[in-house]
Amino acid sequence: MWAAVSGSLALAAALLTPQAAQAAGSNPPTKDATLVRTDAGWLRGESTAEGRQFLGIPYARRPVGALRWKEPRPVKPWHGVRGASSFGNRCVQSASWDPGYENPSHTEDCLDLNVYAPDGDPARQRPVMVWLHGGGLTAGAGEDIVPDAFARRTGTVVVTVNYRLGAMGFLATEGLDGEAADRVSGNYGMLDQQAALRWVRANIGSFGGDRHRVTIAGESAGGRSVCTQLASPTADGLYRAGIVESGAYGDCAARERQQATTQGAEFARKAGCPDAATALACLRKKPAAEILAAQAGFDWGPVAGGDFLPVQPEKAYEDGSASRVPVLNGANSDEGRLFAYGQFDGQGKPLTEEQYPGALTRMYGAELGAKVLKRYPVSGHASPTHAYAAAQGDMMFACTALRMDRALAGRGPVYAYEFADRTSPPFASIREAGKTFDFGATHVNEVQYLFKHFGLPTPLDAEQRDLARQMVQYWGSFIHGGAPRAEGQPTAPDQRTRPGTVLSLRTASAGGNALSTTLGDDHRCDLWDSAPADAG
């Protein structure tokens, strides 16, 4: 499905394994734009119809054996030319419904990244976007998006990153705390992201990127990663801007140290390592498949309290300790429909009107559930599942994004958007289900307007293609260092001067892109902003 390599000679070189490359010599010619030198050695990428791409580049040493649950270490240099024409391994994760994820991955050798660069003079030094993938911090890979056309159209260099997931990326135990320099473990996946950013700082100039103009971006768990990195002092100076797509859920909260280590002890027992004195050594001997099998049912994510994240992100935003960089932040208008579908209709058990009040009580408790029932009556929605989805999406995404806008506005430019194309085709994983269920502008749906999602074409109609073109311009102008703009369209509003005003991204027949001042009311944020922090 990938674009063809230009010429058989380039293909042959791109297929060199690192071992075979050692015989290729250490001083290859440099006139070929697909041949690039990094601080660890030479790489052979490939030319495509959109530009140049370099895939499967290791940015850190393999986190295996004694390096399992260790901070990422610099990659070992190689000799000769290393082929960079195929993606690296996906990090340890279960099978899923996403295309290409039909089988689990048990491979820990996965700390790779991919670089996409437009054709042209590599000395031009274009701005850079580093994309952190979604997947709940337990799934996904850098290859989930193919941003080659985005890179060409915006004149940017794009990097996509793999990072450790689930228990491999976020296990915290007392034993691991004892090994950590700051005595707080559980942030390995986040530290991988920072190692990738340091690789970018050291090497992106060789690909035509400007190390001083790096934007970190991501969707869902990738967006959550961005809002976490914004609050991390150890990421300071590694980027100049951030893009958070549907990532403010849970107010980007991290686990507290005691919570994380208690969970780690429970995980160790489940994995067959119950003795606290020997648990860490026992876990390090476990095959990845056994670690993966034991991780279900636990909350995996970053841990607050150490050097990486001294305080919760929300507090860092409020007290001014978060990075003072421009941020583009937003969510989708129907975020909750994906999750409600998976809980009800996707299980063959659509929510009924009779079941609806009980479902709300189970989700929110009796007191808040009664308020939600009053504010989200079934009569106001296409079905009970859609009513449930509206409440879930407003609570988890829409109102948390608006709260994040307010918090971030005190420390730098914040540009707010909402993706609101309710006619958008469901993304590839749920496209078949979309024939019978109206997903609207649900979670993940905006990604396919910016990039090839899972490398697949998106069936957009003419109006949607226009919207996609405008969104690429918005994102591209922000990465270039300005306010998000698109030709003939309203500029995304800065929350410092226009608080609560949001750029609504819509097709022409739905009114086109417009500035909205009613999103807080539309998503009933007065209810959710006053709800208990652990609601839902």
Side-chain angles (χ1 to χ4, degrees), residues 162-211:
N162 289 357
Y163 54 92
R164 280 174 284 182
L165 304 166
M168 292 299 188
F170 300 98
L171 178 65
T173 70
E174 291 185 0
L176 287 171
D177 280 357
E179 293 183 354
D182 63 356
R183 296 295 185 259
V184 176
S185 58
N187 289 311
Y188 309 103
M190 294 290 156
L191 295 173
D192 291 343
Q193 295 173 4
Q194 291 188 2
L197 289 169
R198 291 187 179 92
W199 183 96
V200 168
R201 184 173 60 182
N203 294 289
I204 205 64
S206 298
F207 299 83
D210 186 343
R211 57 179 288 183

Side-chain angles (χ1 to χ4, degrees), residues 12 18 92 98 105 122 147 154 183 194 247 256 278 326 356 426 457 503 534 536:
V92 175
D98 291 328
S105 172
T154 58
R183 296 295 185 259
Q194 291 188 2
E256 294 293 343
T278 61
Y356 181 59
L503 174 66
D534 60 350

Side-chain angles (χ1 to χ4, degrees), residues 157-345:
V157 176
V158 180
V159 180
T160 67
V161 179
N162 289 357
Y163 54 92
R164 280 174 284 182
L165 304 166
M168 292 299 188
F170 300 98
L171 178 65
T173 70
E174 291 185 0
L176 287 171
D177 280 357
E179 293 183 354
D182 63 356
R183 296 295 185 259
V184 176
S185 58
N187 289 311
Y188 309 103
M190 294 290 156
L191 295 173
D192 291 343
Q193 295 173 4
Q194 291 188 2
L197 289 169
R198 291 187 179 92
W199 183 96
V200 168
R201 184 173 60 182
N203 294 289
I204 205 64
S206 298
F207 299 83
D210 186 343
R211 57 179 288 183
H212 300 295
R213 290 193 291 166
V214 174
T215 297
I216 53 173
E219 184 272 339
S220 193
R224 179 186 179 183
S225 296
V226 173
C227 69
T228 302
Q229 299 292 357
L230 289 173
S232 173
T234 55
D236 189 45
L238 295 177
Y239 57 89
R240 60 148 297 277
I243 299 175
V244 180
E245 300 179 29
S246 305
Y249 59 91
D251 294 307
C252 206
R255 296 176 294 164
E256 294 293 343
R257 178 184 178 185
Q258 185 59 55
Q259 172 197 5
T261 55
T262 298
Q263 174 186 296
E266 294 173 359
F267 168 80
R269 287 191 291 272
K270 184 179 177 182
C273 301
D275 185 350
T278 61
L280 182 53
C282 174
L283 288 170
R284 282 200 168 117
K285 293 177 181 177
K286 291 284 183 182
E290 292 186 27
I291 298 295
L292 181 61
Q295 77 175 32
F298 293 99
D299 174 29
W300 301 108
V303 182
D307 292 345
F308 166 76
L309 195 64
V311 299
Q312 290 287 351
E314 187 175 26
K315 187 176 190 312
Y317 305 153
E318 292 173 351
D319 67 18
S321 61
S323 295
R324 296 179 177 275
V325 300
V327 174
L328 173 61
N329 177 49
N332 299 350
S333 59
D334 303 308
E335 294 270 7
R337 293 192 189 182
L338 172 66
F339 304 99
Y341 171 83
Q343 187 175 351
F344 299 112
D345 297 53

